[in-house]
Amino acid sequence: MEVETLQYSLRKGADGFSGISANFCPSLIVWLCAHPEHEKAEEVQEFLGLSQNLINWKYPACAKMHHRQLGSPMKPVCKAEPLQAFSHMEVEALDQLRCEIQQVAAMIGLQ
């Protein structure tokens, strides 16, 4: 199952989701799994689907960069490519994603 079809899959009986998106927005995924019929579920699903391209990009290095932005003590070592390989614009895109995750979380009452 892909995160783009998570809500549909949950409505059809899926029990949960374990994908790379969980490295970025686990609380949103947990919430959607618990509330697939909620009035805000469509908006959360849309956000998850739209953000997937950025999440897939340079994975797993971008996940480590995201966690560094959150304050986790991540070393700049990654099997895919070094974290130093991120341009200023790429770091800003990940920072914008972090802000958008916080906004969606606030919309559904998680923050």
Side-chain angles (χ1 to χ4, degrees), residues 12-49:
K12 293 295 183 183
D15 291 325
F17 177 77
S18 178
I20 66 172
S21 299
N23 289 293
F24 290 83
C25 46
S27 61
L28 298 182
I29 292 170
V30 168
W31 183 89
L32 185 58
C33 287
H35 305 93
E37 302 295 339
H38 191 279
E39 64 184 32
K40 301 276 186 183
E42 291 286 338
E43 291 177 71
V44 174
Q45 177 61 64
E46 183 176 350
F47 172 75
L48 292 172

Side-chain angles (χ1 to χ4, degrees), residues 46-60:
E46 183 176 350
F47 172 75
L48 292 172
L50 291 173
S51 64
Q52 193 59 38
N53 283 338
L54 183 56
I55 288 171
N56 285 338
W57 160 81
K58 289 191 177 182
Y59 184 83

Side-chain angles (χ1 to χ4, degrees), residues 57-87:
W57 160 81
K58 289 191 177 182
Y59 184 83
C62 66
K64 289 189 94 167
M65 179 62 74
H66 173 72
H67 281 277
R68 286 182 72 167
Q69 289 175 326
L70 293 173
S72 300
M74 294 279 178
K75 294 181 180 180
V77 178
C78 186
K79 65 182 180 182
E81 65 182 279
L83 299 186
Q84 295 92 341
F86 285 82
S87 71

